[in-house]
Amino acid sequence: MSLSQNAPTSKAKKREELKKQYTDGEEIGSDDDLTRGKRRKTDKEKEKLEESELVEMKKLENLIFGSLYSPVTFGKEEEEDGSALFHVDRSAVRQIPDYEDDDDEENGQAVETRKGEAAWEDEEEKQINIDIASVNRLRKLRKEENEGLISGSEYIARLRAHHAKLNPGTDWARPDSQIIDGESSDDDDTQDGGVDDILRTNEDLVVKSRGNKLCAGRLEYSQLVDANAADPSNGAINSVHFHQNAQLLLTAGLDRRLRFFQIDGKRNTKIQSIFLEDCPIHKAAFLPNGSQVIVSGRRKFFYSFDLEKAKFDKIGPLVGREEKSLEQFEVSQDSNTIAFVGNEGYILLVSTKTKELIGTLKMNGSVRSLAFSDDGKHLLSSGGDGQIYVWDLRTMKCLYKGVDEGSTCGTSLCSSLNGALFASGTDRGIVNIYKKSEFVGGKRKPIKTVDNLTSKIDFMKFNHDAQILAIVSTRNKNSVKLVHVPSLTVFSNWPPPNSTMHYPRCLDFSPGSGFMAMGNAAGKVLLYKLHHYQNA
């Protein structure tokens, strides 16, 4: 009881003491002290208000005029209210970065950003290795056939180079050719030659092929619109041939029509169609100089079509000859001579200028195939005796005769443009590839024997740089093989899977090998783009 009664008494006493102190004005301060305190609070509030107004004015200046006095720097946090709407781009002005080392500042050396250098590099790229041989789509990045692992940085560099090759840019759009501030374009043209150098020549303004080696294994290609889609043939296509300008393609076949198309890979517009009433066409070809077209069939005569005059001339029968068919022929690379397959082992040589017989060559067996070599100076022939003949047309004599290994009857011949290689096809589907110098020198062993086809070889063709050899057999569907000549291996992805080539009849490469055209028995001319070659 005593505790509970004493507690309120002590509290009451304290309250009375506090009231007394308040009324007496002790220890709380006088009226002067209270006035000073209010003034201090007012001054502080004014200062805060002025600071807030100053901040608001700066924000307003930034919104209207941009960050003129405090440029934005990367790596610093922005204010809570957001960044300015407009910024002044000072990247063109050479400045010393904020993160520059103190040592450089002391020495007075300013670190400048070099043109073309990456702003950031991934260090892991140098540590990663990529196997470009194991992935089919990456094999095109190889520089050597046996190349496998490369570093990540090298992989990126090759991807960029491959993209630049597929999408060539223009000189004026490249950084190293841009006009510097204060210099005029006229000055650049004067210093570098500029437009004057272009106008001094009539050469084609086309990116030239750099002579890169074609990789073995898989061929990079894409199928385009059929070359004769504008006017398909009603019969089998027996001949396709590109003009030397790479834009004009002729097609001919048993429907007796000679057609010309302008090849662009998209529309392939038909230019002209000519009907030959008395001659189903077995072969048609441009002269290498592009001036004429030679057309033949199973007739005693042949036709010559002058492209400039748009005029047909009927030639034959040849004086002193009794051949009933002149359907097979070859034209020399110098456009001077036409060689026809004759009867009983004879080869008939006709001048392209006079269209008259200028000489004959005689084999021991029947003649089945011909091929010119060395710019028309030499002629190769093969036939029923299983031997290959090399003729010198300047002396009209046989330079060398040798057995074609494994052949009982030669059915097809072709030679590379430079004359270094030639290929021989047989009736058993075997193709032998020879080096001409070794064969003429007595070495009869072929450098490669291709036996991927089982039926008679009817047609063969080297492309312009002899890196691809096309082999065609007309007996079976899709019976076309493409050989990678440098490695002497067959491309594994040709013919294309699930392809509709039908029965192939003929094939030709454009002068720069950018296009490949193939005629079939269904009257279509299939057109393909070979991505390795930049020029048509």
mmCIF file with all atom_site columns, all heavy atoms in Angstrom, residues 409-426:
data_model
loop_
_atom_site.group_PDB
_atom_site.id
_atom_site.type_symbol
_atom_site.label_atom_id
_atom_site.label_alt_id
_atom_site.label_comp_id
_atom_site.label_asym_id
_atom_site.label_entity_id
_atom_site.label_seq_id
_atom_site.pdbx_PDB_ins_code
_atom_site.Cartn_x
_atom_site.Cartn_y
_atom_site.Cartn_z
_atom_site.occupancy
_atom_site.B_iso_or_equiv
_atom_site.pdbx_formal_charge
_atom_site.auth_seq_id
_atom_site.auth_comp_id
_atom_site.auth_asym_id
_atom_site.auth_atom_id
_atom_site.pdbx_PDB_model_num
ATOM 1   N N   . CYS A 1 409 ? 36.559 -47.781 -125.939 1.00 0.00 ? 409 CYS A N   1
ATOM 2   C CA  . CYS A 1 409 ? 35.935 -46.870 -126.898 1.00 0.00 ? 409 CYS A CA  1
ATOM 3   C C   . CYS A 1 409 ? 35.752 -45.510 -126.245 1.00 0.00 ? 409 CYS A C   1
ATOM 4   O O   . CYS A 1 409 ? 35.004 -45.380 -125.273 1.00 0.00 ? 409 CYS A O   1
ATOM 5   C CB  . CYS A 1 409 ? 34.591 -47.424 -127.372 1.00 0.00 ? 409 CYS A CB  1
ATOM 6   S SG  . CYS A 1 409 ? 33.743 -46.363 -128.564 1.00 0.00 ? 409 CYS A SG  1
ATOM 7   N N   . GLY A 1 410 ? 36.439 -44.507 -126.768 1.00 0.00 ? 410 GLY A N   1
ATOM 8   C CA  . GLY A 1 410 ? 36.296 -43.154 -126.236 1.00 0.00 ? 410 GLY A CA  1
ATOM 9   C C   . GLY A 1 410 ? 35.037 -42.485 -126.766 1.00 0.00 ? 410 GLY A C   1
ATOM 10  O O   . GLY A 1 410 ? 34.736 -42.559 -127.963 1.00 0.00 ? 410 GLY A O   1
ATOM 11  N N   . THR A 1 411 ? 34.292 -41.831 -125.879 1.00 0.00 ? 411 THR A N   1
ATOM 12  C CA  . THR A 1 411 ? 33.024 -41.214 -126.277 1.00 0.00 ? 411 THR A CA  1
ATOM 13  C C   . THR A 1 411 ? 32.983 -39.715 -126.040 1.00 0.00 ? 411 THR A C   1
ATOM 14  O O   . THR A 1 411 ? 32.091 -39.041 -126.568 1.00 0.00 ? 411 THR A O   1
ATOM 15  C CB  . THR A 1 411 ? 31.850 -41.855 -125.504 1.00 0.00 ? 411 THR A CB  1
ATOM 16  O OG1 . THR A 1 411 ? 32.079 -41.709 -124.095 1.00 0.00 ? 411 THR A OG1 1
ATOM 17  C CG2 . THR A 1 411 ? 31.740 -43.335 -125.848 1.00 0.00 ? 411 THR A CG2 1
ATOM 18  N N   . SER A 1 412 ? 33.908 -39.174 -125.268 1.00 0.00 ? 412 SER A N   1
ATOM 19  C CA  . SER A 1 412 ? 33.872 -37.743 -124.973 1.00 0.00 ? 412 SER A CA  1
ATOM 20  C C   . SER A 1 412 ? 35.263 -37.237 -124.614 1.00 0.00 ? 412 SER A C   1
ATOM 21  O O   . SER A 1 412 ? 36.043 -37.952 -123.971 1.00 0.00 ? 412 SER A O   1
ATOM 22  C CB  . SER A 1 412 ? 32.898 -37.457 -123.816 1.00 0.00 ? 412 SER A CB  1
ATOM 23  O OG  . SER A 1 412 ? 32.837 -36.083 -123.533 1.00 0.00 ? 412 SER A OG  1
ATOM 24  N N   . LEU A 1 413 ? 35.568 -35.999 -125.051 1.00 0.00 ? 413 LEU A N   1
ATOM 25  C CA  . LEU A 1 413 ? 36.831 -35.345 -124.735 1.00 0.00 ? 413 LEU A CA  1
ATOM 26  C C   . LEU A 1 413 ? 36.568 -33.896 -124.375 1.00 0.00 ? 413 LEU A C   1
ATOM 27  O O   . LEU A 1 413 ? 35.638 -33.272 -124.897 1.00 0.00 ? 413 LEU A O   1
ATOM 28  C CB  . LEU A 1 413 ? 37.783 -35.381 -125.935 1.00 0.00 ? 413 LEU A CB  1
ATOM 29  C CG  . LEU A 1 413 ? 38.611 -36.634 -126.192 1.00 0.00 ? 413 LEU A CG  1
ATOM 30  C CD1 . LEU A 1 413 ? 39.359 -36.499 -127.518 1.00 0.00 ? 413 LEU A CD1 1
ATOM 31  C CD2 . LEU A 1 413 ? 39.585 -36.904 -125.066 1.00 0.00 ? 413 LEU A CD2 1
ATOM 32  N N   . CYS A 1 414 ? 37.392 -33.348 -123.498 1.00 0.00 ? 414 CYS A N   1
ATOM 33  C CA  . CYS A 1 414 ? 37.367 -31.902 -123.234 1.00 0.00 ? 414 CYS A CA  1
ATOM 34  C C   . CYS A 1 414 ? 38.731 -31.480 -122.718 1.00 0.00 ? 414 CYS A C   1
ATOM 35  O O   . CYS A 1 414 ? 39.465 -32.281 -122.127 1.00 0.00 ? 414 CYS A O   1
ATOM 36  C CB  . CYS A 1 414 ? 36.265 -31.521 -122.251 1.00 0.00 ? 414 CYS A CB  1
ATOM 37  S SG  . CYS A 1 414 ? 36.575 -31.978 -120.545 1.00 0.00 ? 414 CYS A SG  1
ATOM 38  N N   . SER A 1 415 ? 39.065 -30.208 -122.964 1.00 0.00 ? 415 SER A N   1
ATOM 39  C CA  . SER A 1 415 ? 40.363 -29.673 -122.567 1.00 0.00 ? 415 SER A CA  1
ATOM 40  C C   . SER A 1 415 ? 40.149 -28.379 -121.797 1.00 0.00 ? 415 SER A C   1
ATOM 41  O O   . SER A 1 415 ? 39.183 -27.643 -122.040 1.00 0.00 ? 415 SER A O   1
ATOM 42  C CB  . SER A 1 415 ? 41.219 -29.409 -123.805 1.00 0.00 ? 415 SER A CB  1
ATOM 43  O OG  . SER A 1 415 ? 42.439 -28.776 -123.465 1.00 0.00 ? 415 SER A OG  1
ATOM 44  N N   . SER A 1 416 ? 41.046 -28.111 -120.850 1.00 0.00 ? 416 SER A N   1
ATOM 45  C CA  . SER A 1 416 ? 40.977 -26.851 -120.112 1.00 0.00 ? 416 SER A CA  1
ATOM 46  C C   . SER A 1 416 ? 41.391 -25.709 -121.027 1.00 0.00 ? 416 SER A C   1
ATOM 47  O O   . SER A 1 416 ? 42.063 -25.911 -122.042 1.00 0.00 ? 416 SER A O   1
ATOM 48  C CB  . SER A 1 416 ? 41.884 -26.902 -118.878 1.00 0.00 ? 416 SER A CB  1
ATOM 49  O OG  . SER A 1 416 ? 43.234 -27.108 -119.259 1.00 0.00 ? 416 SER A OG  1
ATOM 50  N N   . LEU A 1 417 ? 40.989 -24.479 -120.674 1.00 0.00 ? 417 LEU A N   1
ATOM 51  C CA  . LEU A 1 417 ? 41.273 -23.333 -121.535 1.00 0.00 ? 417 LEU A CA  1
ATOM 52  C C   . LEU A 1 417 ? 42.763 -23.109 -121.727 1.00 0.00 ? 417 LEU A C   1
ATOM 53  O O   . LEU A 1 417 ? 43.204 -22.713 -122.800 1.00 0.00 ? 417 LEU A O   1
ATOM 54  C CB  . LEU A 1 417 ? 40.622 -22.078 -120.953 1.00 0.00 ? 417 LEU A CB  1
ATOM 55  C CG  . LEU A 1 417 ? 39.098 -21.965 -121.097 1.00 0.00 ? 417 LEU A CG  1
ATOM 56  C CD1 . LEU A 1 417 ? 38.600 -20.675 -120.480 1.00 0.00 ? 417 LEU A CD1 1
ATOM 57  C CD2 . LEU A 1 417 ? 38.690 -22.035 -122.567 1.00 0.00 ? 417 LEU A CD2 1
ATOM 58  N N   . ASN A 1 418 ? 43.554 -23.348 -120.682 1.00 0.00 ? 418 ASN A N   1
ATOM 59  C CA  . ASN A 1 418 ? 44.996 -23.136 -120.812 1.00 0.00 ? 418 ASN A CA  1
ATOM 60  C C   . ASN A 1 418 ? 45.712 -24.330 -121.434 1.00 0.00 ? 418 ASN A C   1
ATOM 61  O O   . ASN A 1 418 ? 46.920 -24.280 -121.662 1.00 0.00 ? 418 ASN A O   1
ATOM 62  C CB  . ASN A 1 418 ? 45.614 -22.818 -119.451 1.00 0.00 ? 418 ASN A CB  1
ATOM 63  C CG  . ASN A 1 418 ? 45.391 -23.923 -118.434 1.00 0.00 ? 418 ASN A CG  1
ATOM 64  O OD1 . ASN A 1 418 ? 44.938 -25.023 -118.757 1.00 0.00 ? 418 ASN A OD1 1
ATOM 65  N ND2 . ASN A 1 418 ? 45.700 -23.629 -117.173 1.00 0.00 ? 418 ASN A ND2 1
ATOM 66  N N   . GLY A 1 419 ? 44.981 -25.398 -121.699 1.00 0.00 ? 419 GLY A N   1
ATOM 67  C CA  . GLY A 1 419 ? 45.563 -26.555 -122.370 1.00 0.00 ? 419 GLY A CA  1
ATOM 68  C C   . GLY A 1 419 ? 46.394 -27.460 -121.480 1.00 0.00 ? 419 GLY A C   1
ATOM 69  O O   . GLY A 1 419 ? 46.965 -28.439 -121.961 1.00 0.00 ? 419 GLY A O   1
ATOM 70  N N   . ALA A 1 420 ? 46.465 -27.184 -120.188 1.00 0.00 ? 420 ALA A N   1
ATOM 71  C CA  . ALA A 1 420 ? 47.302 -27.992 -119.296 1.00 0.00 ? 420 ALA A CA  1
ATOM 72  C C   . ALA A 1 420 ? 46.673 -29.348 -118.994 1.00 0.00 ? 420 ALA A C   1
ATOM 73  O O   . ALA A 1 420 ? 47.388 -30.337 -118.804 1.00 0.00 ? 420 ALA A O   1
ATOM 74  C CB  . ALA A 1 420 ? 47.559 -27.237 -118.001 1.00 0.00 ? 420 ALA A CB  1
ATOM 75  N N   . LEU A 1 421 ? 45.343 -29.413 -118.926 1.00 0.00 ? 421 LEU A N   1
ATOM 76  C CA  . LEU A 1 421 ? 44.644 -30.651 -118.581 1.00 0.00 ? 421 LEU A CA  1
ATOM 77  C C   . LEU A 1 421 ? 43.670 -31.033 -119.683 1.00 0.00 ? 421 LEU A C   1
ATOM 78  O O   . LEU A 1 421 ? 43.172 -30.175 -120.419 1.00 0.00 ? 421 LEU A O   1
ATOM 79  C CB  . LEU A 1 421 ? 43.868 -30.475 -117.271 1.00 0.00 ? 421 LEU A CB  1
ATOM 80  C CG  . LEU A 1 421 ? 44.646 -30.114 -116.013 1.00 0.00 ? 421 LEU A CG  1
ATOM 81  C CD1 . LEU A 1 421 ? 43.684 -29.825 -114.875 1.00 0.00 ? 421 LEU A CD1 1
ATOM 82  C CD2 . LEU A 1 421 ? 45.607 -31.231 -115.627 1.00 0.00 ? 421 LEU A CD2 1
ATOM 83  N N   . PHE A 1 422 ? 43.391 -32.319 -119.785 1.00 0.00 ? 422 PHE A N   1
ATOM 84  C CA  . PHE A 1 422 ? 42.290 -32.783 -120.614 1.00 0.00 ? 422 PHE A CA  1
ATOM 85  C C   . PHE A 1 422 ? 41.683 -34.028 -119.975 1.00 0.00 ? 422 PHE A C   1
ATOM 86  O O   . PHE A 1 422 ? 42.337 -34.724 -119.181 1.00 0.00 ? 422 PHE A O   1
ATOM 87  C CB  . PHE A 1 422 ? 42.719 -33.039 -122.067 1.00 0.00 ? 422 PHE A CB  1
ATOM 88  C CG  . PHE A 1 422 ? 43.566 -34.268 -122.278 1.00 0.00 ? 422 PHE A CG  1
ATOM 89  C CD1 . PHE A 1 422 ? 42.986 -35.509 -122.540 1.00 0.00 ? 422 PHE A CD1 1
ATOM 90  C CD2 . PHE A 1 422 ? 44.948 -34.192 -122.232 1.00 0.00 ? 422 PHE A CD2 1
ATOM 91  C CE1 . PHE A 1 422 ? 43.761 -36.638 -122.751 1.00 0.00 ? 422 PHE A CE1 1
ATOM 92  C CE2 . PHE A 1 422 ? 45.737 -35.315 -122.434 1.00 0.00 ? 422 PHE A CE2 1
ATOM 93  C CZ  . PHE A 1 422 ? 45.139 -36.545 -122.691 1.00 0.00 ? 422 PHE A CZ  1
ATOM 94  N N   . ALA A 1 423 ? 40.422 -34.272 -120.288 1.00 0.00 ? 423 ALA A N   1
ATOM 95  C CA  . ALA A 1 423 ? 39.704 -35.416 -119.724 1.00 0.00 ? 423 ALA A CA  1
ATOM 96  C C   . ALA A 1 423 ? 39.123 -36.249 -120.842 1.00 0.00 ? 423 ALA A C   1
ATOM 97  O O   . ALA A 1 423 ? 38.700 -35.728 -121.881 1.00 0.00 ? 423 ALA A O   1
ATOM 98  C CB  . ALA A 1 423 ? 38.595 -34.940 -118.787 1.00 0.00 ? 423 ALA A CB  1
ATOM 99  N N   . SER A 1 424 ? 39.096 -37.553 -120.623 1.00 0.00 ? 424 SER A N   1
ATOM 100 C CA  . SER A 1 424 ? 38.587 -38.497 -121.611 1.00 0.00 ? 424 SER A CA  1
ATOM 101 C C   . SER A 1 424 ? 37.521 -39.368 -120.977 1.00 0.00 ? 424 SER A C   1
ATOM 102 O O   . SER A 1 424 ? 37.742 -39.966 -119.910 1.00 0.00 ? 424 SER A O   1
ATOM 103 C CB  . SER A 1 424 ? 39.739 -39.363 -122.145 1.00 0.00 ? 424 SER A CB  1
ATOM 104 O OG  . SER A 1 424 ? 39.237 -40.401 -122.963 1.00 0.00 ? 424 SER A OG  1
ATOM 105 N N   . GLY A 1 425 ? 36.337 -39.449 -121.623 1.00 0.00 ? 425 GLY A N   1
ATOM 106 C CA  . GLY A 1 425 ? 35.242 -40.290 -121.140 1.00 0.00 ? 425 GLY A CA  1
ATOM 107 C C   . GLY A 1 425 ? 35.048 -41.491 -122.035 1.00 0.00 ? 425 GLY A C   1
ATOM 108 O O   . GLY A 1 425 ? 35.310 -41.441 -123.244 1.00 0.00 ? 425 GLY A O   1
ATOM 109 N N   . THR A 1 426 ? 34.570 -42.575 -121.442 1.00 0.00 ? 426 THR A N   1
ATOM 110 C CA  . THR A 1 426 ? 34.425 -43.830 -122.179 1.00 0.00 ? 426 THR A CA  1
ATOM 111 C C   . THR A 1 426 ? 32.975 -44.305 -122.163 1.00 0.00 ? 426 THR A C   1
ATOM 112 O O   . THR A 1 426 ? 32.116 -43.741 -121.495 1.00 0.00 ? 426 THR A O   1
ATOM 113 C CB  . THR A 1 426 ? 35.321 -44.916 -121.557 1.00 0.00 ? 426 THR A CB  1
ATOM 114 O OG1 . THR A 1 426 ? 34.789 -45.273 -120.257 1.00 0.00 ? 426 THR A OG1 1
ATOM 115 C CG2 . THR A 1 426 ? 36.752 -44.419 -121.372 1.00 0.00 ? 426 THR A CG2 1
#
